[in-house]
Amino acid sequence: MDRHQNISLEMLLKLVRVFGSVIYSSISAPSSVGVDIEAEQRLERCNTCFVELEKVKRCLPVLCRRGGSIAKSAHELNLALQEV
């Protein structure tokens, strides 16, 4: 189980580093004028990602207290989420 959690945390870390700034900038950007279906879909996906990342962020303190490699990965993910 620990191995799966550690791999999941590492994958989330990579995703946050690559797409975190896109997600946060998309949801904080002002609304555009007119109809742009692709932009609306992108905003909807970014909002969903943001909600899920917030759920993950709430679980990280518990994982950080466990110690070992999981705590290290959880701490790195927490720092990455704070940077974006």
Side-chain angles (χ1 to χ4, degrees):
M1 183 77 165
D2 283 356
R3 182 173 179 270
H4 296 289
Q5 287 178 337
N6 200 34
I7 290 170
S8 297
L9 288 169
E10 288 175 5
M11 289 183 65
L12 278 169
L13 176 62
K14 290 176 183 176
L15 288 170
V16 167
R17 285 184 175 158
V18 173
F19 296 108
S21 60
V22 174
I23 293 167
Y24 287 100
S25 65
S26 293
I27 63 171
S28 62
S31 300
S32 61
V33 177
V35 177
D36 187 349
I37 302 294
E38 288 182 21
E40 290 176 15
Q41 291 172 341
R42 185 171 47 253
L43 179 60
E44 185 177 321
R45 287 190 299 269
C46 287
N47 278 327
T48 302
C49 288
F50 177 78
V51 168
E52 296 303 319
L53 288 173
E54 288 297 310
K55 289 178 188 176
V56 168
K57 197 186 294 188
R58 287 193 300 267
C59 297
L60 292 178
V62 173
L63 294 173
C64 286
R65 289 191 293 268
R66 289 185 61 183
S69 61
I70 290 177
K72 180 183 176 224
S73 296
H75 183 68
E76 285 181 48
L77 179 57
N78 195 29
L79 290 175
L81 286 167
Q82 290 175 7
E83 288 175 5
V84 291

